[in-house]
Amino acid sequence: MTDQSNTDAPDAALRADIRRLGTLLGEALVRQEGSELLAEVEEVRALVRTDSATAAQRLAALDVATGTKLGRAFSTYFHLANVTEQVHRARELRAARAVTGGWLRETAELIRKAGTSAADIDAAVRRLAIRPVFTAHPTEAARRSILVKQRALADTLDAEAAERALGGGADTAAYDRRLAELIDLLWQTDELRLTRPEPTDEARNAIYYLTELYANAAPRVLADLHDTLADLGAEVPVTAQPFTFGTWIGGDRDGNPYVTPEVTANVLRLQHEYGIRAAEHAMDGLVSDLSLSARHAHLSEPLAASLDADLAALPELPARFRRVNAEEPYRLKARCIKQKLANTRARLAARRPHEPGRDYLGTAEYVADLELIRTSLAEHDGALIADGRVADAIRAAQAFGLQLATMDVREHSEKHHAVLAQLYRAVGEVDYASLDRPARTELLVAELAGRRPLSTPDVALDEAERRTYDVFATIREMQDTFGPKVIESYIVSMTHGVDDLLAAVVLARENGLVNVHSGHSRLDFVPLLETVHELKPAGELLDAWLSIPEYRKIVAARGDVQEIMLGYSDSNKEAGIASSQWSIHQAQRAMRDAAAKHGVTLRLFHGRGGTVGRGGGPTHEAILAQPYGTLDGSIKVTEQGEVISDKYTLPALARENLELTVSAVLQATLLHTEPRQPATELAVWDSVMDTVAGAAESAYRNLVEHPRLPDYFWACTPTALLGSLNIGSRPSKRPNTDAGLDGLRAIPWVFGWTQTRQIVPGWYGVGSGLAAANAAGLTDTLRAMYQRWQFFRTFISNVEMMLAKTDLSIARRYVDALVPDELRHFADQIETEYASTVREVLAITGEAHLLDAQPVLRRTLEVRDTYLEPLHHLQVSLLSKYAAAGGADAGDEALQRALLSTVNGIAAGLRNTG
């Protein structure tokens, strides 16, 4: 299986490696399955190039067993192509870094040219608080067993390249042998999960990436940031926290019945087990390094006193260390720190109380010990040592803590109201469930202003309400056990009104997490605005919350910072990409102004998915496209599914992606504090976007609100199979919803359209929107917006990418084979809008074809299509057989597994699931 590509192309080296792995895959197929399978693969691949219809017929005639093997062959090819592309992308980035110095250096040059003072830079850096948040959203189709082998393939390719660069040649035969071994392992590894993962399984997957980041990429980016800013004259304390990591895994209860209070506690214990081990590994490095003798290096009095106290408090520290390291006080202190870390692990496992001086309660005590070492070294001729690995250990500890990531807890707004209805019924005061929003708001404000407890710990609650109520007690217990940083935010999803946020605050108060009278709060309360209906009045909602004196005291207790989460997925599913993106942009402006009115810092949490249809796209461009003044150093962004593996599997790519995000936030914070355009021009552009978004939303709703669209969607997509992939613990539909599309979550919604190459969420309606603006005589304005407005340019660029991935000739095969005649008009409607959108986008970009400005990317997608097309034909055939056999009710496991193998292959080929 080889890609016959132009060897003179700029990506010739990449293509050569893909051809090489394709050849090795072909040899593996012969070894594992016989020459007949390889012959079948090659024949199908050739037919696809010359006679697509005959290729489809040939694939339809295959028996299920052969179809499964064929699907796995093409799927494995994509796994190999993906990892090779990652390896070469990392090499290109390293080469560029050698010339330009990396993204932070480029940003530093922009800051220097802008004439920003060192004092302003220093102040901005101290406000940096960037947090990628790992979620368990089920969009990574590949098992971790597959991802680990891909990492091994990448390491092998890099090792060979390094040997060739250093020695002028490499033992190609030996490397081919290792690559062939890994390909055989891939082939013999089941790519499908046997069971649905539990939240703790999802946590282990996130921990895999977090510990890799702890050991490799994060310390390097933090050191680079320190050095870059020092060159600009800014002083960055080594204990600063420019970025940390967050997680929803084990805390995201919205629609996931498997995330119980007990699961939350278990996941946090698991995170600490691995987080402390990562810290112990860092201490191993310091124990090795800090061989300074008391005969040649001095010790500060605070460090000496601390060491004496440790030795007295830690009798279990081996006598051998006390003897051998008696004149190596820095090394002995490092051993004491490692012992306290081990004691902390043991204490948490045994669920014993904290013992001051013998173990750590939270990260702060651990960092304080490290800081004693660093300060002493710096004061006694050891500045280089202090600023080297010791500083790296402190920065990593500040970024990850002992818990690796700070957990957010999320719950649906209606769950809190259900608990309160039972609490108020118990006290016999009011029929809470019958109150409208204004009345509920008035009641909850009065409740917060009062001093009585509304409930008791043993209050009678139904099972579901008890689980919602108990999570607040679990939060308090976890903070008491692990420290205040372990859980910081409580997110209320589907926040529609003021009362939805206040309901969560009242329940937190009942569990001792909030006291407005003493100005105390152990949590941030974060409304999640998910639909266009909530995004449009976002500024008014924020103003209403901050105008409530009791709630304003809570915000003051949290440092005068109000976090707001923006939901991209549901707003897109509801209103289409144009209206969603524009509503989010306008909401940010309105909330910026409302926060400023109340003297509050606004921290935005962007709930971006992997695909453009769920808010995805290049992070750097997305950050720079935000309205001015909305980003003042602090930002949170979700990372999920295939985005995590794509960004963080290889250390070099992890470093680049982290640095890219940090540099964009730094640039936006320092250089985008005022509008880039005159107010009069921006007002005109806003009006144009109103026209575009309004017409686009109308076109989109005309499609998705048709009563028969659910029938079309379920008939022509493999969405019903998503649950069988076992890629996440959360059900794909919201509870208590019917077979329509309203209850379908955004991930399976995008999944279905993507698998069939219609990709409606990524572009539908944009053509109608742009056409409406052109009809209004705004063509020249649209082109000016594309040239000079970062928001609009990023929007069009993301839509263009989705248009390029769309293939309606493939989609038509699904429709012709699977959709009843009376529903095929939907395909006609989609094709008409697609043609319009391509035409309108090209008119704005000035290109003759999609992605003309990105020829390497366009070529990559074209090559992938050659291998994707057989998978699509095979999937169509198998879906027909599946439907004819009665679907899931038929119980044909072999047929279902064959279908799932095509789902995996298409997801790998498109590098998107949902």
Side-chain angles (χ1 to χ4, degrees):
M1 296 181 70
T2 57
D3 164 26
Q4 304 298 326
S5 304
N6 179 6
T7 56
D8 295 327
D11 55 350
L14 167 62
R15 298 298 160 203
D17 268 348
I18 291 178
R19 284 196 301 274
R20 175 189 181 188
L21 290 182
T23 298
L24 291 172
L25 173 59
E27 293 170 0
L29 295 181
V30 173
R31 276 194 307 275
Q32 300 294 324
E33 304 294 342
S35 58
E36 296 82 3
L37 179 59
L38 178 59
E40 189 81 51
V41 167
E42 294 299 337
E43 184 175 347
V44 167
R45 202 163 62 87
L47 268 178
V48 164
R49 293 173 182 269
T50 59
D51 189 346
S52 182
T54 302
Q57 292 172 4
R58 175 67 178 271
L59 288 163
L62 293 176
D63 60 82
V64 171
T66 304
T68 301
K69 292 177 182 178
L70 202 68
R72 291 193 65 216
F74 282 105
S75 179
T76 303
Y77 169 81
F78 282 124
H79 288 311
L80 299 177
N82 287 346
V83 73
T84 308
E85 286 178 5
Q86 285 184 316
V87 167
H88 281 263
R89 185 161 45 133
R91 290 178 189 171
E92 290 167 7
L93 290 168
R94 282 194 295 263
R97 176 181 293 278
V99 175
T100 66
W103 294 101
L104 284 169
R105 290 290 174 186
E106 291 184 15
T107 298
E109 285 305 308
L110 292 173
I111 294 170
R112 187 177 284 111
K113 287 177 182 177
T116 309
S117 70
D120 285 344
I121 297 170
D122 189 71
V125 169
R126 292 171 188 272
R127 297 196 302 274
L128 282 181
I130 302 160
R131 182 173 292 176
V133 180
F134 286 27
T135 78
H137 285 23
T139 63
E140 174 59 84
R143 291 179 61 203
R144 197 170 86 196
S145 294
I146 301 292
L147 297 174
V148 168
K149 289 170 181 61
Q150 288 180 332
R151 169 66 185 272
L153 284 161
D155 290 345
T156 303
L157 289 171
D158 268 345
E160 181 186 31
E163 184 178 321
R164 186 176 291 112
L166 290 172
D171 188 348
T172 302
Y175 284 107
D176 275 349
R177 170 71 178 77
R178 174 57 178 159
L179 292 170
E181 176 190 357
L182 289 166
I183 292 171
D184 274 6
L185 285 167
L186 273 174
W187 184 256
Q188 294 190 31
T189 298
D190 193 347
E191 73 271 34
L192 302 177
R193 296 174 177 87
L194 292 178
T195 59
R196 182 182 293 274
E198 297 178 354
T200 49
D201 299 321
E202 293 168 327
R204 289 179 187 278
N205 193 51
I207 287 167
Y208 168 79
Y209 291 105
L210 289 166
T211 51
E212 280 286 310
L213 286 164
Y214 194 124
N216 294 297
R220 298 189 71 176
V221 174
L222 289 164
D224 288 344
L225 177 64
H226 178 274
D227 294 344
T228 300
L229 293 170
D231 288 344
L232 289 171
E235 294 184 9
V236 186
V238 71
T239 53
Q241 291 182 294
F243 65 77
T244 56
F245 291 86
T247 180
W248 276 14
I249 303 168
D252 184 8
R253 297 170 47 79
D254 180 17
N256 192 338
Y258 307 108
V259 178
T260 63
E262 293 75 23
V263 164
T264 298
N266 289 338
V267 167
L268 285 173
R269 292 187 181 97
L270 186 66
Q271 285 182 203
H272 277 80
E273 171 72 21
Y274 284 90
I276 294 171
R277 287 190 185 279
E280 288 175 297
H281 181 71
M283 292 312 303
D284 285 337
L286 292 186
V287 167
S288 176
D289 277 6
L290 298 180
S291 55
L292 295 80
S293 169
R295 298 174 186 268
H296 306 297
H298 295 291
L299 198 67
S300 69
E301 290 185 8
L303 179 57
S306 173
L307 178 57
D308 288 343
D310 284 350
L311 293 174
L314 300 169
E316 65 271 41
L317 187 73
R320 177 177 174 274
F321 294 154
R322 295 170 184 264
R323 173 175 53 82
V324 172
N325 302 140
E327 293 192 358
E328 295 173 336
Y330 289 98
R331 175 174 275 170
L332 197 53
K333 176 63 179 178
R335 291 196 186 279
C336 290
I337 294 174
K338 187 178 178 185
Q339 184 63 56
K340 285 198 274 188
L341 287 168
N343 290 351
T344 306
R345 270 196 305 109
R347 169 177 68 82
L348 295 175
R351 305 189 184 186
R352 297 193 304 266
H354 166 54
E355 297 182 65
R358 288 186 41 75
D359 59 40
Y360 294 121
L361 178 63
T363 308
E365 295 177 1
Y366 167 52
V367 170
D369 268 350
L370 290 172
E371 184 65 5
L372 283 173
I373 293 176
R374 192 195 68 82
T375 303
S376 180
L377 287 167
E379 292 173 351
H380 297 94
D381 302 319
L384 284 176
I385 306 167
D387 293 337
R389 189 171 282 187
V390 177
D392 285 345
I394 294 173
R395 293 187 188 109
Q398 289 291 81
F400 294 91
L402 296 181
Q403 75 275 11
L404 288 179
T406 295
M407 181 182 285
D408 291 341
V409 174
R410 180 173 77 138
E411 183 58 279
H412 195 287
S413 58
E414 288 302 320
K415 297 290 187 179
H416 307 123
H417 292 306
V419 175
L420 285 168
Q422 294 191 15
L423 293 182
Y424 277 106
R425 186 164 63 241
V427 296
E429 289 184 353
V430 65
D431 182 3
Y432 182 88
S434 69
L435 299 179
D436 60 14
R437 288 194 182 277
R440 282 201 304 217
T441 299
E442 183 179 357
L443 176 66
L444 295 172
V445 169
E447 192 66 55
L448 284 174
R451 294 179 179 273
R452 69 156 187 188
L454 178 61
S455 63
T456 59
D458 59 349
V459 63
L461 294 170
D462 293 344
E463 182 181 358
E465 284 67 36
R466 168 56 62 186
R467 287 169 60 173
T468 302
Y469 185 79
D470 283 352
V471 77
F472 291 96
T474 299
I475 291 171
R476 180 172 181 172
E477 178 190 351
M478 293 299 98
Q479 288 182 339
D480 290 343
T481 302
F482 300 116
K485 296 288 187 181
V486 70
I487 298 175
E488 293 180 337
S489 299
Y490 191 94
I491 300 168
V492 180
S493 59
M494 285 297 170
T495 297
H496 299 297
V498 174
D499 58 314
D500 290 329
L501 192 64
L502 296 182
V505 177
V506 169
L507 294 180
R509 186 203 67 174
E510 292 302 296
N511 285 275
L513 294 167
V514 169
N515 187 327
V516 296
H517 302 291
S518 63
H520 170 73
S521 179
R522 295 169 68 166
L523 282 176
D524 296 321
F525 295 92
V526 184
L528 169 49
L529 308 179
E530 299 183 74
T531 69
V532 170
H533 182 72
E534 283 76 52
L535 288 165
K536 287 185 176 177
E540 297 168 18
L541 277 172
L542 179 56
D543 180 61
W545 283 313
L546 296 177
S547 296
I548 298 170
E550 290 76 16
Y551 185 74
R552 184 65 182 82
K553 290 178 182 178
I554 293 171
V555 175
R558 302 297 292 175
D560 278 324
V561 175
Q562 175 62 58
E563 182 178 317
I564 305 281
M565 186 171 183
L566 301 171
Y568 288 70
S569 301
D570 285 288
S571 60
N572 185 303
K573 179 173 177 282
E574 173 202 18
I577 187 169
S579 183
S580 168
Q581 295 284 303
W582 183 229
S583 295
I584 289 171
H585 191 81
Q586 290 178 302
Q588 291 180 78
R589 291 180 183 174
M591 290 188 293
R592 170 199 63 201
D593 297 341
K597 170 186 170 183
H598 290 275
V600 165
T601 298
L602 178 66
R603 178 169 62 224
L604 291 174
F605 184 0
H606 296 269
R608 305 173 73 236
T611 58
V612 169
R614 295 185 50 245
T619 302
H620 187 267
E621 285 79 0
I623 290 172
L624 295 179
Q626 291 185 73
Y628 80 90
T630 56
L631 208 171
D632 191 28
S634 184
I635 188 173
K636 290 170 68 174
V637 182
T638 54
E639 302 275 39
Q640 50 192 265
E642 75 279 357
V643 173
I644 296 175
S645 60
D646 189 53
K647 283 186 174 183
Y648 302 123
T649 293
L650 303 186
L653 290 183
R655 179 185 182 185
E656 292 294 334
N657 280 296
L658 278 178
E659 185 173 326
L660 197 63
T661 300
V662 173
S663 63
V665 172
L666 186 61
Q667 184 177 335
T669 299
L670 281 168
L671 304 182
H672 195 194
T673 57
E674 297 178 355
R676 297 188 180 110
Q677 296 82 24
T680 53
E681 185 174 50
L682 196 58
V684 171
W685 292 356
D686 286 355
S687 177
V688 175
M689 271 309 302
D690 287 340
T691 300
V692 171
E697 182 175 347
S698 294
Y700 179 83
R701 287 186 182 276
N702 179 259
L703 174 70
V704 301
E705 292 180 355
H706 193 290
R708 296 300 306 277
L709 183 74
D711 299 327
Y712 173 84
F713 179 80
W714 293 111
C716 74
T717 74
T719 307
L721 289 162
L722 183 59
S724 300
L725 275 176
N726 293 322
I727 59 178
S729 64
R730 187 172 72 163
S732 61
K733 287 182 71 69
R734 298 187 187 277
N736 304 318
T737 55
D738 58 24
L741 299 178
D742 288 345
L744 189 69
R745 294 189 184 278
I747 290 170
W749 169 252
V750 175
F751 164 86
W753 294 117
T754 301
Q755 282 278 310
T756 58
R757 301 297 290 279
Q758 296 174 85
I759 319 186
V760 161
W763 58 266
Y764 196 93
V766 174
S768 294
L770 295 174
N774 282 320
L778 299 169
T779 302
D780 290 342
T781 306
L782 286 172
R783 289 173 179 157
M785 290 161 61
Y786 180 72
Q787 292 297 325
R788 304 205 307 274
W789 192 11
Q790 182 89 39
F791 163 76
F792 189 68
R793 187 177 186 88
T794 300
F795 168 67
I796 293 295
S797 176
N798 285 337
V799 168
E800 183 181 12
M801 166 71 79
M802 291 298 98
L803 291 170
K805 285 190 171 186
T806 300
D807 188 332
L808 295 184
S809 64
I810 290 292
R812 182 55 77 166
R813 293 193 177 277
Y814 286 84
V815 173
D816 290 345
L818 302 168
V819 176
D821 290 344
E822 69 271 16
L823 296 176
R824 293 183 184 179
H825 64 90
F826 289 112
D828 299 334
Q829 186 175 343
I830 290 169
E831 288 171 357
T832 299
E833 181 65 21
Y834 178 79
S836 169
T837 305
V838 171
R839 183 172 60 252
E840 298 294 341
V841 166
L842 292 179
I844 289 173
T845 64
E847 299 171 351
H849 307 94
L850 295 173
L851 299 181
D852 269 355
Q854 301 179 71
V856 172
L857 176 58
R858 188 178 71 185
R859 174 179 173 73
T860 296
L861 294 178
E862 289 170 351
V863 170
R864 282 173 173 264
D865 279 345
T866 304
Y867 293 85
L868 275 166
E869 190 168 338
L871 282 169
H872 285 297
H873 292 322
L874 188 59
Q875 188 177 84
V876 169
S877 169
L878 292 169
L879 281 171
S880 296
K881 294 175 182 177
Y882 189 68
D889 294 335
D892 190 335
E893 182 182 356
L895 179 56
Q896 186 176 70
R897 287 182 66 82
L899 261 171
L900 293 176
S901 72
T902 66
V903 169
N904 264 345
I906 292 168
L910 291 171
R911 305 194 79 158
N912 286 125
T913 302

